[in-house]
Amino acid sequence: MADQVVLQMQHIMKIYSNGVVANEDVSLELRKGEIHALLGENGAGKSTLMKVLFGIEAPDEGKIILNGSEVTIKSPQDAISKGIGMVHQHFMLVPSLTVAENIILGVEPKKGLFINMKKAVEEAQAIAEKYNFEIDVTARVEEIPVGIKQKVEILKALYRGADILILDEPTAVLTPQETDELFIQLEKLRNDGHTIIFISHKLDEIKKICDRATIMRNGRSMGTYNVSEISTDDMSKLMVGREVVLTFEKKPQVLKDTMMKVRNLTVHNTQGVLKVDGLTFDLKGGEILGIAGVEGNGQSELIDTLTGINKSYSGEVSIKGEDIRKDSIKDIRNKKLAHIPEDRMSSGCAANLNILENMFSNQYTEPEYSGKMMLKGKVIQKRSEELIREYLVKCKSYHQNVGMLSGGNIQKVIVAREFSTQPDIIIANQPTRGIDVGAAEFIRRRLLEYRDAGCAILLVSADLNEVFSLSDRLAVMYKGKFSGLFLDVSSVSEEELGQYMLGLKHDDELRGVTYEQ
């Protein structure tokens, strides 16, 4: 069964209207009953290739052969009708609806003119049981954990008859335990004859779950390999074109003054739900305090408060000994705080502005760049070119709109903007989410350089490899509190950390959370 070819994408060419060659003579072959990894840097052409397969984009050249016959896929609906399903990185579920309602949405069983909800629940339950997905199909999506939402997305595709499943970064927000559960389900789907395309930057996961891997770089395929016969180092080298450092040698820590104090911080969201529950901690210069946790446990609300975006809180937040309650975002930034936001597109950049405008959006009033009447255009342009070179931003020039860059290069523009202010405090929220190993290595190395220079860094990340390799102290957030704090990061395993992330373990003492204990 594993040698039966079910789909071929042959010599695919896709050139966008701006002249960017996204796919150049790319071929991909999928076999029945395999989990096939698709990996490459951001901008390598993975997403475009999958958009062509799922009918979102039309190829300029090339053909698609499905089960021996050439097909034209004109839309996602057309792809679904041909047995191709896609689970996007950002879930496409309706939070206010139940699991069953989400699964049958758009293809609802009818009773006369109305939806037959009884049958919908029965069918949703039946498909969940068929694939051994333990899910309460009557629960509202907004009330279920992230790991279950991932499974609902997969069931949605299977309900519509998907034989080929495209999974885009499926483990990005899962705990180790949830990832292990997902892999069990994927292996069962593979054994039942489904073909799975697994898009991921996590090379260790690819080694664990995938049969073959197609590696892309700069819009071209670098070949397809049996995963059991290729090392993660070689995969990285094929993706990036050079050696990539996956682990870092950290210099001995030299602690400086306390830069930030948080005392009994309590935050409710706009619906009145408690999101941060009496949180207390210190952050000193010369350290990276990592915060791990399943998404939605108060991390976003904590960061919004520390950076001045949210003003509705009780408790105390002080930076360099000064309370920030009455400070504007600009006031807080003037205390030499830099912020890499969680969502680079919605709050990290202005996609319709160019690189120069984005890089200097937080500095254009500085005397270095602003005269009495006019901005110092030549100075800003020269500095933009320097930052583009320093941060290895792949672009045509600083005139290029940020929205036209790959995700990794957008992130580099944001990091260049924030780090070029010579900060004393860095709040980094998911700084390498969804970007390739090369860009991630660069950003992580920069964070360590600032730590060594005496900067205080708060790192919130769902990437456990990242928090393990960078953190000096490591906290876990669960339901708005720290459920655990580790002063020796090497003493805790991923599995144990996952237990704290899921609330199965809890440390009430939290020794070392402040420097006053």
Side-chain angles (χ1 to χ4, degrees), residues 7 9 28-30 34-39 46 49-50 53 84-87 163-170 186 194-200 210 212 214:
L7 183 134
M9 300 182 78
L28 175 69
E29 178 193 272
L30 301 177
E34 76 165 336
I35 301 177
H36 193 113
L38 185 62
L39 63 156
K46 308 184 303 295
L49 191 67
M50 291 302 97
L53 180 56
I84 301 169
M86 186 165 184
V87 177
D163 293 316
I164 298 171
L165 266 176
I166 305 165
L167 303 183
D168 188 4
E169 298 284 351
L186 296 186
H194 290 277
T195 300
I196 297 163
I197 302 174
F198 188 90
I199 304 171
S200 179
C210 297
R212 295 191 300 151
T214 296

Side-chain angles (χ1 to χ4, degrees), residues 240-255:
V240 181
R242 60 176 174 82
E243 295 281 355
V244 177
V245 178
L246 299 175
T247 56
F248 299 94
E249 288 292 327
K250 287 169 66 177
K251 292 182 181 178
Q253 187 180 23
V254 180
L255 284 174

